[in-house]
Amino acid sequence: DAGVTQSPTHLIKTRGQQVTLRCSPKSGHDTVSWYQQALGQGPQFIFQYYEEEERQRGNFPDRFSGHQFPNYSSELNVNALLLGDSALYLCASSLWTDSYEQYFGPGTRLTVT
Amino acid sequence: QKEVEQDPGPLSVPEGAIVSLNCTYSNSAFQYFMWYRQYSRKGPELLMYTYSSGNKEDGRFTAQVDKSSKYISLFIRDSQPSDSATYLCAMMKTSYDKVIFGPGTSLSVIP
């Protein structure tokens, strides 16, 4: 049984560009949450998707958007990249009714130059 | 004031020691409390979760929640070098809510 998978593993982009990160949840899970983790910090909640709708959103600008597909996989899109967007982006999956039990993927390391 | 605070460490202990990791929080609405372990260059791994106040034990790990003091703890008994990692506390108001993480405490267990 595959756990949460994310792609790509690493990514280097230039300021102003756009990026799309992908996540496949653990089998049986229906909810995907995205987090940004800066070096030496805890994960910061970006948003959560359930039934293909954004259900919760953290304090992130509209440059951050997402999508959930019928197979529960999800994408995170970031437009107009800033240097400050450089971080580890983590995807976590869970059941909607038990979102306290989240399983994380290995993350995508994004570097903006 | 941040919603969830944690001493960043680093905390260094000898193998076999009892480790105490702590978090304080400001929002009394939090009901679910979790502890994650994160190894370098990996995603966080859920260790334990607790609902409301009380204790919960799982092997060498014990989680305690004191809602009256807005204080939670994770105890690790007989610590091993493989326990060396960053420990993140996390909490949420309801089982449908967003998860708020602390900044993490870096732990090193020295053989």
Side-chain angles (χ1 to χ4, degrees):
Chain A
D1 174 29
V4 179
T5 60
Q6 290 186 244
S7 63
T9 305
H10 296 91
L11 205 51
I12 300 175
K13 291 285 189 179
T14 303
R15 274 179 299 175
Q17 285 188 318
Q18 179 263 344
V19 68
T20 297
L21 311 181
R22 296 177 175 81
C23 171
S24 290
K26 180 179 168 64
S27 178
H29 283 179
D30 55 15
T31 301
V32 172
S33 301
W34 286 93
Y35 296 84
Q36 180 193 68
Q37 186 176 27
L39 201 60
Q41 300 295 318
Q44 298 294 309
F45 176 80
I46 303 175
F47 42 54
Q48 177 190 63
Y49 277 84
Y50 169 66
E51 290 188 333
E52 302 179 50
E53 290 187 15
E54 183 182 292
R55 300 290 179 158
Q56 303 271 353
R57 189 177 181 92
N59 189 26
F60 279 81
D62 292 344
R63 298 187 297 110
F64 290 77
S65 64
H67 190 77
Q68 186 181 35
F69 299 94
N71 67 353
Y72 308 116
S73 67
S74 177
E75 288 182 351
L76 163 66
N77 300 291
V78 186
N79 295 321
L81 285 167
L82 303 174
L83 294 178
D85 294 332
S86 295
L88 180 67
Y89 288 85
L90 294 162
C91 166
S93 74
S94 63
L95 289 173
W96 170 246
T97 53
D98 300 325
S99 290
Y100 49 83
E101 195 169 355
Q102 296 194 358
Y103 291 81
F104 281 80
T108 294
R109 173 73 60 188
L110 172 65
T111 302
V112 182
T113 62
Chain B
Q1 181 186 12
K2 291 185 178 179
E3 276 195 290
V4 181
E5 305 214 43
Q6 215 177 336
D7 186 338
L11 182 61
S12 184
V13 301
E15 183 176 354
I18 296 175
V19 177
S20 173
L21 303 165
N22 310 296
C23 283
T24 58
Y25 62 95
S26 58
N27 193 334
S28 59
F30 287 134
Q31 295 276 13
Y32 291 85
F33 303 91
M34 295 78 76
W35 285 96
Y36 285 82
R37 176 175 63 195
Q38 186 173 25
Y39 292 113
S40 181
R41 302 183 182 279
K42 302 285 187 182
E45 170 195 10
L46 179 65
L47 288 174
M48 301 177 70
Y49 65 86
T50 309
Y51 173 73
S52 195
S53 287
N55 296 354
K56 187 172 184 179
E57 187 173 323
D58 184 1
R60 297 184 295 111
F61 298 89
T62 299
Q64 287 186 354
V65 175
D66 181 351
K67 291 188 68 180
S68 62
S69 302
K70 299 191 183 70
Y71 188 89
I72 69 171
S73 301
L74 178 71
F75 297 95
I76 307 174
R77 290 183 298 281
D78 187 26
S79 56
Q80 302 296 310
S82 59
D83 295 328
S84 298
T86 295
Y87 289 79
L88 300 154
C89 64
M91 42 201 82
M92 55 199 305
K93 299 173 198 171
T94 71
S95 63
Y96 304 91
D97 195 20
K98 60 185 177 182
V99 178
I100 306 300
F101 280 84
T105 297
S106 175
L107 171 68
S108 291
V109 181
I110 311 301

